[in-house]
Amino acid sequence: MFPPREEFLRVLPILIFCGGGTLLMLLQPFLRSRTAFSLLALAGSLTAVVSVGCSAAHPGAAFYGLIGSDPASVFFEFLVGAVAFLVILGSASYLERESLAPAEFYALIFFAAAGMCVLASAREMLTAFIGLEMSSISSYILAGYRRESPKAAESALKYFLLGSFATAFFLYGIALLYGSTGTTVIAQMTPLAPGLLPKLGLALLLIGLSFKVAAAPFQLWTPDVYEGAPTPVTALFSAGPKAATFALLLRIFVEMPLAAGEWTRIFWILAVITMFAGNLGALLQTNVKRILAYSSIAHAGYILVAFAASNEIGVAAVLFYLLAYAAAKLGAFSVVAHLGGAGEKRIELDDFAGLAQRQPIAAAAFSLFLLSLLGIPVTAGFFGKFYIFKAALASHLIGLAVLLGVNSVIAAYYYLRLIIVMYMREPKEETAALPFPGAVTTVLALCALATVYFGLFPNHIIAFASNPRLFGH
Amino acid sequence: MVPAGYYLVLSAILFGLGIVAFVFKRNIITIFMSIELMLNAVNLAFVTFSQVLGKLDGQVFVLFVIVVAAAEAAVGLGIIILIARHRQSLNVERMDLMKF
């Protein structure tokens, strides 16, 4: 029996991303113009973002309950779609500068985005696995897209080896859960018999997903991969897969009967070591891309604090935080991608000295994103941290809230150092300003707008994310 | 007939061997093979559980895992060739352009 029409509408963004990616690959031999590919990719990703409205209008399960549309999946599909759109918008000039082929690049971003959307809306483990792999395999290729650069090749290799290693853990976790519950549907996973097997399965699953969100002690690949990958791709990595994997984790820990309760302590430990690993690591770095990579480890730690809290405010905080974080990280990496110059040679801290005199607007935008990552009021990052604090305190995790505060102070050191370098330090040598092309300026403007808007009016998102029917059913 | 528990133990041993090889081996191809070993351990577990539970979906899962592993191998071997061209070496200890 062919599934009814509305089931296709429920997964429309995924279909558009898959179809768009395939179309780009098919057109590759016939079109020679970079602009044509960029416009096609932009149109495709914009259509996908708009089509999220269509999946929002048809909530419910699709394809025998394997996948579905509910407010949470709509939120994450929108986030992933917007991230893909902004990355594509910002990468056209980068691809031209580094003379990289556009068609495959955009197609891979489309496939990765499709995978992330699947991950965010999967209701069953096999589907989640396929989504995870769609996004991971595309990411491995994207990480090594600058084939001439030995660093990019090494980054792709590290990502590939550790990513597949993590996938094996994820799968073994699913196997044990399947064996002990007799099903792979997330919401139906209740143990058939008491015992260690389901817990072990869930723990392995958690290890696999911790790799993907870069939570310590499974974060070692992150700085190297982020440094070696082309910067627009780094922007995608830091915002997209992280959001989608956290979406799956949320779904597992909200819906799965097995996952209730006792996991708080595990998340407590994961959150603390992740925060410290990220922030202390960032203190020692002089490469701006690596600083931002370590900072994204730290942010995974902050989000895990909300998981440790495991209450309704925590769920809303995760959604809001991922949105705020994506806007700030995308903006920051877009600045670095452009200012890095040909071959990404100028991404050391010293290269940013005196940026405020050379390019005041770029320096101001970069500072805004850094302040949002730091969590200063009037930026979205502030409310993100605020709600995570609130969630931790609501669950009486005073110690964890204090450690979160300590970490924010450590983080202030390296974010503010970057800002001070841009505003106060004189450049060592005379460097020409690199004017931003219109498309990148648009990306920065949109990210800055989102950062400030959600920093002033967080209520819409929080109200949306506090919906008790966030996860279907 | 061999009890199902034996298969699960075998699968756990294979998975453990895969982890050990992943951590201690130095050649990238061998590391890649150890990942394949881990995936096949998972497949064995799925088939066993599917047999014990009397449900077919575990075996369907195995088919998907095989297909995804093939896709991963295609990409992975491509990346390994790229590395071999850059370095003329497949020793992971020499992959040290980026360090802490």
Side-chain angles (χ1 to χ4, degrees):
Chain A
M1 189 189 78
F2 202 69
R5 199 173 62 98
E6 62 263 27
E7 302 211 341
F8 288 95
L9 296 178
R10 279 172 194 153
V11 295
L12 195 60
I14 300 170
L15 297 177
I16 290 179
F17 271 127
C18 287
T22 316
L23 185 69
L24 282 167
M25 298 286 265
L26 288 176
L27 287 176
Q28 195 270 338
F30 305 109
L31 275 178
R32 279 279 152 261
S33 136
R34 281 179 178 275
T35 327
F37 279 118
S38 301
L39 288 177
L40 261 176
L42 278 177
S45 52
L46 195 62
T47 322
V49 174
V50 173
S51 73
V52 173
C54 182
S55 88
H58 298 85
F63 305 110
Y64 310 97
L66 294 180
I67 200 164
S69 157
D70 51 29
S73 81
V74 166
F75 176 85
F76 283 107
E77 278 174 347
F78 177 78
L79 185 58
V80 166
V83 165
F85 174 74
L86 291 175
V87 167
I88 290 170
L89 188 56
S91 57
S93 61
Y94 180 93
L95 291 174
E96 194 162 358
R97 190 185 76 203
E98 307 284 328
S99 42
L100 298 171
E104 294 88 345
F105 184 86
Y106 295 136
L108 286 166
I109 290 185
F110 270 52
F111 293 137
M116 293 173 220
C117 291
V118 172
L119 198 54
S121 43
R123 295 187 173 184
E124 189 262 356
M125 282 301 178
L126 179 55
T127 319
F129 164 66
I130 298 295
L132 189 70
E133 283 306 284
M134 275 169 79
S135 96
S136 298
I137 294 178
S138 316
S139 304
Y140 304 150
I141 311 176
L142 282 172
Y145 205 75
R146 281 189 302 150
R147 276 186 307 182
E148 312 310 317
S149 149
K151 264 191 183 179
E154 189 178 315
S155 127
L157 178 77
K158 286 179 175 167
Y159 199 19
F160 164 69
L161 287 179
L162 289 167
S164 335
F165 188 58
T167 302
F169 277 94
F170 179 71
L171 272 176
Y172 204 55
I174 298 176
L176 295 187
L177 282 175
Y178 168 68
S180 53
T181 63
T183 176
T184 49
V185 180
I186 295 174
Q188 294 169 6
M189 283 190 165
T190 35
L192 298 171
L196 204 61
L197 209 55
K199 281 177 195 162
L200 190 63
L202 202 52
L204 287 169
L205 196 84
L206 194 57
I207 291 178
L209 292 177
S210 298
F211 262 104
K212 305 281 175 187
V213 298
F218 313 108
Q219 91 295 8
L220 292 170
W221 57 272
T222 319
D224 290 358
V225 171
Y226 280 26
E227 185 189 344
T231 313
V233 172
T234 314
L236 178 74
F237 286 175
S238 68
K242 191 168 267 185
T245 315
F246 270 120
L248 178 67
L249 262 181
L250 263 187
R251 189 177 295 277
I252 290 173
F253 281 87
V254 169
E255 279 195 340
M256 196 190 278
L258 189 85
E262 53 196 292
W263 293 88
T264 311
R265 197 137 277 282
I266 307 274
F267 278 121
W268 198 101
I269 298 166
L270 271 182
V272 171
I273 50 179
T274 308
M275 287 192 292
F276 276 107
N279 284 322
L280 296 179
L283 291 180
L284 305 171
Q285 305 302 325
T286 54
N287 179 315
V288 175
K289 248 168 127 180
R290 276 183 95 83
I291 294 178
L292 290 173
Y294 275 100
S295 112
S296 77
I297 300 174
H299 284 278
Y302 302 150
I303 295 169
L304 286 169
V305 170
F307 273 88
S310 69
N311 50 26
E312 270 101 61
I313 313 170
V315 174
V318 171
L319 264 65
F320 186 81
Y321 202 96
L322 283 167
L323 179 70
Y325 164 83
K329 264 285 149 76
L330 260 182
F333 276 121
S334 301
V335 174
V336 177
H338 181 70
L339 292 180
E344 296 198 9
K345 295 209 170 61
R346 305 183 40 78
I347 45 174
E348 289 295 315
L349 208 49
D350 291 335
D351 298 323
F352 283 77
L355 184 68
Q357 279 96 53
R358 282 201 304 277
Q359 284 164 286
I361 298 175
F366 198 21
S367 306
L368 173 71
F369 300 134
L370 292 173
L371 291 174
S372 178
L373 290 172
L374 175 55
I376 296 290
V378 201
T379 61
F382 168 72
F383 277 107
K385 274 224 178 81
F386 171 77
Y387 286 112
I388 287 182
F389 261 112
K390 205 169 146 190
L393 292 178
S395 294
H396 308 292
L397 297 170
I398 313 290
L400 195 56
V402 171
L403 287 174
L404 176 58
V406 170
N407 270 284
S408 305
V409 175
I410 302 175
Y413 173 76
Y414 59 85
Y415 290 131
L416 294 180
R417 182 174 63 167
L418 199 47
I419 295 177
I420 287 171
V421 165
M422 286 192 292
Y423 278 87
M424 314 257 182
R425 205 189 288 169
E426 292 297 317
K428 282 202 180 108
E429 60 208 43
E430 215 42 53
T431 15
L434 281 170
F436 278 75
V440 183
T441 314
T442 316
V443 174
L444 295 184
L446 287 173
C447 290
L449 186 69
T451 304
V452 174
Y453 180 81
F454 293 117
L456 294 171
F457 311 103
N459 295 352
H460 305 300
I461 300 292
I462 292 296
F464 176 85
S466 307
N467 181 351
R469 296 179 55 78
L470 193 59
F471 288 96
H473 305 291
Chain B
M1 188 179 132
V2 185
Y6 286 33
Y7 290 106
L8 293 180
V9 171
L10 176 64
S11 134
I13 291 172
L14 285 176
F15 195 78
L17 280 176
I19 297 176
V20 172
F22 183 90
V23 175
F24 290 108
K25 284 291 175 183
R26 287 288 157 259
N27 186 297
I28 296 171
I29 302 276
T30 323
I31 293 177
F32 182 54
M33 281 164 65
S34 67
I35 294 172
E36 295 290 315
L37 184 65
M38 290 165 78
L39 291 179
N40 284 318
V42 171
N43 285 346
L44 182 59
F46 268 119
V47 173
T48 314
F49 283 129
S50 156
Q51 185 73 20
V52 171
L53 295 164
K55 287 181 177 176
L56 269 181
D57 39 2
Q59 304 195 19
V60 175
F61 219 119
V62 170
L63 291 178
F64 276 90
V65 174
I66 292 172
V67 170
V68 168
E72 223 170 42
V75 170
L77 292 173
I79 293 174
I80 293 175
I81 289 173
L82 183 60
I83 285 284
R85 279 196 189 147
H86 275 295
R87 302 290 172 81
Q88 276 79 43
S89 156
L90 285 180
N91 187 338
V92 268
E93 281 178 353
R94 291 178 59 188
M95 304 300 139
D96 54 1
L97 283 180
M98 291 171 287
K99 265 201 189 143
F100 186 77

